[in-house]
Amino acid sequence: MSSTATPEKRRTALDALHRSLGATMTDFAGWDMPLRYGSERDEHLAVRTKAGLFDLSHMGEITVTGPEAAQLLNHALVGNIASVGLGRARYTMICRADGGILDDLIVYRLAETEYMVVANASNAQVVLDALTERSDGFDAVVRDDRDAYALLAVQGPESPGILTSLTDADLDGLKYYAGLPGTVAGVPALIARTGYTGEDGFELFVSPADAEKLWLALTEAGAGAGLIPCGLSCRDTLRLEAGMPLYGHELSTSLTPFDAGLGRVVKFEKDGDFVGRGALEAAAERAASQPPRVLVGLVAEGRRVPRAGYPVVADGQVIGEVTSGAPSPTLGKPIAMAYVDAAHAAPGTAGVGVDIRGSHEPYEVVALPFYKREK
């Protein structure tokens, strides 16, 4: 192989099945993933009103075990992982020493001294390397388990009923951001009540060898409830409507959690030092006294769609930048998230627009999220 050869894209255990369903495939963080199966709008609305089935096997699972696993994670991450109860999960971040965000994560406590860290596909190796480096001096082992799991997600209001028909696990007792071991359609699984769509739903961590059997069982069980397969495209519009950040868009190494409006995930009160503490304390003070740009929602008055990187303007001046933008199937209008100067961040601020190829299109500043499901 020559040094200029392109590395082959990774494929999930469901690759052949996606292709048999006519999926449009795309490269995502080195993985060949389904972008859509048919209409992105239909897939989006199925999740909002019924249910959607996703293959998320590109996510990066890293297991941390040992007597000092919790202490290691408290040192390596910004959250208080030692306080996570057995069977519960927590949203957190891993930062550099300068406070910049390396990735946002979900950490599951699987056993007394066993945790599973789930990283974004694009950052899985970075997170693995950082945890391994930061484990020095701790009685704990960091293990790359990316090849040990396939990950399926069932999202939408009909998802509890669909899953209940395939498992005797106590789904009613499973709280949001919790996980329990169980069997789904005869397949051993970690059943987690998490998601990235703004809807109720479940993520199922299983052996890659069992992925196709589980997908087919879920498809059959959900047929009468309107469940359809869904690709990454509608996952993006769903998370955007729900105001959920995406790494590489709303989160990056050039931003601290406080810059991103997510300072609440940083737990200064936990025992011991942690990577980035000093820089993050300074960032917290800056955010309190002189807020940097603030992450806001923008709703179009017209039909033109804003995209990441487009300037946000007011009175002829650039006051911010769009981080994510797309047509919203739920609102029926284009929407965006953007970082804007604090002076223009209040909902209803007049005179704000987005520069779309030289034309200043009017936008309404709104509070995030754009969409919140009824409980």
Side-chain angles (χ1 to χ4, degrees), residues 283-299:
E285 285 183 29
R286 284 196 306 274
S289 60
Q290 186 181 2
R293 284 183 166 175
V294 179
L295 188 64
V296 301
L298 298 173
V299 177

Side-chain angles (χ1 to χ4, degrees), residues 26-72:
T26 188
D27 177 31
F28 187 87
W31 289 82
D32 212 13
M33 298 296 295
L35 185 66
R36 71 181 78 82
Y37 297 85
S39 155
E40 293 167 11
R41 185 176 181 277
D42 288 350
E43 291 172 24
H44 180 110
L45 295 175
V47 175
R48 284 277 176 262
T49 61
K50 295 169 184 173
L53 178 58
F54 296 85
D55 177 10
L56 305 178
S57 301
H58 60 313
M59 301 294 281
E61 296 86 5
I62 301 161
T63 304
V64 180
T65 57
E68 294 185 334
Q71 292 93 316
L72 161 58

Side-chain angles (χ1 to χ4, degrees), residues 43 47 65-66 94 96 98 121 137 158 169 172-173 197 223 259 312 318 341:
E43 291 172 24
V47 175
T65 57
I94 183 167
R96 303 192 306 192
D98 66 1
E158 298 290 340
D172 288 341
T197 62
D259 297 326
V312 181
V318 174
D341 294 344

Side-chain angles (χ1 to χ4, degrees), residues 305-341:
V305 178
R307 298 298 183 190
Y310 284 10
V312 181
V313 294
D315 302 321
Q317 302 294 312
V318 174
I319 59 156
E321 185 176 298
V322 171
T323 53
S324 297
S328 165
T330 304
L331 275 63
K333 299 176 180 179
I335 59 172
M337 286 198 278
Y339 283 108
V340 302
D341 294 344

